[in-house]
Amino acid sequence: MAKVKGTIVVDIERCKGCGLCPPACPTNVISLAKEVNAKGFHYAYMANPDECTGCVNCALVCPDAVITVYRKKN
Amino acid sequence: MAEQTVNKDIAKEENLVFKKTSVLTDKVMHYCPGCGHGTAHRLIAEVIEEMNIQSECIGITPVGCSVLMYNYLDVDMQEAAHGRAPALATAVKRLMPEKFVFTYQGDGDLAAIGTAETIHAANRGENITIFFINNGIYGMTGGQMAPTTLPNMKSSTSPYGRDVKMMGNPLKMTELVAQLPGTYYVTRQAVHTPKDVRKAKKAIRKAFENQKLERGLSLVEIVSNCNSGWKMTPLQANEWMVENMFPFYPMGDLKVDGEMVK
C-alpha cells in the first residue's frame, strides 16, 4: 500500500478533454470518460482512483486549471 | 450530470494541495483544448498570487489568440495595438515605477509587427517583464506563416513548407534580445510536461522579481503548441514540438543576471 494517497476533483463542465493529463500521470490513474459534458468534450476522470498519490502532475499540465488535488498521508 | 470517482475521505479542505488560483477568473478560456496559453496564463496568475502583487500588477495584452487575456486574469490590464505592448508597458512603468508591469505577446505580435518596439524596449533596458509565447505560426487568424515558422514547416500560407530561399529564415527573437545590454534575464521555457511547467514557473517568478532590482528587461519565451493551426491533436502537437521546435529553439537560460550563459 502506498503511504500517500491522493484524489482529484475535476471541474467536469470546464474540462475540454484535451488529453494532456493522462500521459502526465505517473500511476495511470486518469483517463478520458466515454461520456461527454454539456459542451461535448470527453472529460477527464479517475479511472483507477486507488492508485492516485496526489502528485499534482495532472493539475500542472492542465491548461484550463480544472483539476483540484488532495493528498493525505496514512 | 456526470459521475466522478472521487475519494471523499481524502477530498477535504485540510488535504488540499492544488487548486485553481484566485487570480484566474472563473471564466472558461476560449483557447482550443490543449493550448499552451492556458498553462502560461495559470503560471503567471500563480506567481502573482504567491508574490502577493495582485493589486500592484499591470498587464499589457497583445493582439492574437491571447487578446482576451484580460477576461481571465484578475489584475489590471490594458490592451495594446498590435505589437505595441512593450511601448505601452514602457509608458506605464515610467509613470508608475512601483508597479509590476508585464506584457504577454505571441510570436505574430512580438516577432513580426512588434519587432521594433521589442528590440528598442530591450535596448533601452526598460524595467518590465515580457512573456513571449512562440508557437511558430499566426494561430488566431488561421495558421499563417510567421517570422518564427521553422524551415520546411507547413502552414496555411506555406502549404509546401517554408522555403528559406524564397521566404527567408526564421527569426530567433530571444537570442537577438539576449545580445542587447539592456536585458537582465532572458530565458526560453516550455509548458508541455510537469517538469517543464515547474521550471517555467520558476523563470516567471524570477522575471517578476527582477523588476524590484531595476536592472533591465526580463524576457521569458515559452515555446508552445498550436494544435489547431498545426492540424494535430494536442498530444501529437506536443510530440511534434519536442521533435521539431526544440532543436531550433533550445530550452534553457540565455542570459541570467545580466551575464550571457556559456
Side-chain angles (χ1 to χ4, degrees):
Chain A
M1 276 294 286
K3 278 185 180 170
V4 183
K5 289 201 83 176
T7 194
I8 61 166
V9 178
V10 179
D11 188 344
I12 288 174
E13 291 308 318
R14 290 167 57 95
C15 180
K16 292 177 184 164
C18 63
L20 293 187
C21 48
C25 180
T27 51
N28 299 321
V29 170
I30 311 177
S31 36
L32 298 183
K34 282 183 185 159
E35 299 83 30
V36 293
N37 62 14
K39 286 187 178 156
F41 291 123
H42 294 278
Y43 55 87
Y45 81 114
M46 284 203 295
N48 195 5
D50 295 337
E51 296 293 315
C52 181
T53 59
C55 69
V56 192
N57 276 5
C58 52
L60 284 178
V61 294
C62 178
D64 295 284
V66 301
I67 301 177
T68 309
V69 186
Y70 299 89
R71 188 195 299 144
K72 189 182 181 185
K73 277 186 188 168
N74 279 343
Chain B
M1 182 65 196
E3 290 286 318
Q4 283 207 62
T5 51
V6 177
N7 189 336
K8 296 243 167 63
D9 292 339
I10 304 171
K12 289 175 187 160
E13 196 61 31
E14 67 265 25
N15 297 329
L16 183 73
V17 282
F18 184 93
K19 71 167 194 172
K20 184 173 84 70
T21 161
S22 61
V23 180
L24 280 179
T25 60
D26 287 332
K27 291 199 177 78
V28 178
M29 294 188 199
H30 71 281
Y31 303 119
C32 307
C35 178
H37 269 309
T39 318
H41 282 21
R42 199 194 71 228
L43 292 181
I44 293 170
E46 284 175 2
V47 168
I48 290 172
E49 189 191 27
E50 282 173 18
M51 290 176 69
N52 199 15
I53 54 170
Q54 191 175 4
S55 57
E56 298 144 57
C57 207
I58 299 175
I60 316 289
T61 57
V63 172
C65 279
S66 47
V67 67
L68 299 173
M69 190 190 183
Y70 48 76
N71 282 335
Y72 309 132
L73 253 69
D74 195 7
V75 298
D76 290 332
M77 298 203 92
Q78 170 68 49
E79 179 63 50
H82 199 181
R84 274 56 175 165
L88 187 55
T90 301
V92 173
K93 185 71 179 178
R94 287 188 178 194
L95 286 167
M96 288 177 272
E98 74 287 356
K99 301 279 186 197
F100 290 84
V101 181
F102 72 91
T103 75
Y104 184 100
Q105 301 174 266
D107 51 326
D109 190 81
L110 183 140
I113 193 166
T115 316
E117 282 76 9
T118 310
I119 288 183
H120 285 293
N123 200 31
R124 288 192 307 268
E126 298 297 341
N127 193 22
I128 56 172
T129 303
I130 294 179
F131 298 111
F132 169 33
I133 311 296
N134 181 3
N135 57 17
I137 53 166
Y138 286 91
M140 181 208 203
T141 48
Q144 287 86 356
M145 184 173 67
T148 46
T149 303
L150 302 175
N152 304 318
M153 178 176 168
K154 285 181 184 171
S155 69
S156 62
T157 47
S158 59
Y160 304 108
R162 181 178 186 152
D163 179 359
V164 177
K165 274 188 187 157
M166 192 166 85
M167 302 161 188
N169 290 294
L171 186 58
K172 292 186 177 181
M173 274 306 274
T174 309
E175 272 85 349
L176 206 60
V177 166
Q179 306 292 324
L180 303 172
T183 51
Y184 190 64
Y185 178 54
V186 181
T187 185
R188 184 182 280 124
Q189 303 292 335
V191 289
H192 66 300
T193 62
K195 183 181 144 208
D196 289 293
V197 169
R198 287 193 175 95
K199 274 187 179 168
K201 189 173 170 183
K202 276 184 197 153
I204 290 171
R205 171 129 195 176
K206 190 172 167 61
F208 268 114
E209 282 172 346
N210 284 345
Q211 289 200 24
K212 285 184 211 157
L213 304 174
E214 302 189 356
R215 297 264 175 81
L217 186 136
S218 302
L219 186 139
V220 180
E221 173 178 348
I222 295 172
V223 180
S224 178
N225 60 7
C226 179
N227 44 69
S228 300
W230 296 352
K231 314 271 184 270
M232 296 173 194
T233 66
L235 286 174
Q236 284 171 342
N238 279 347
E239 274 168 31
W240 191 91
M241 179 174 77
V242 172
E243 281 166 25
N244 298 282
M245 297 280 278
F246 287 7
F248 195 80
Y249 298 113
M251 293 295 110
D253 295 336
L254 287 110
K255 194 175 193 180
V256 181
D257 298 346
E259 299 284 330
M260 293 294 284
V261 176
K262 279 174 248 174

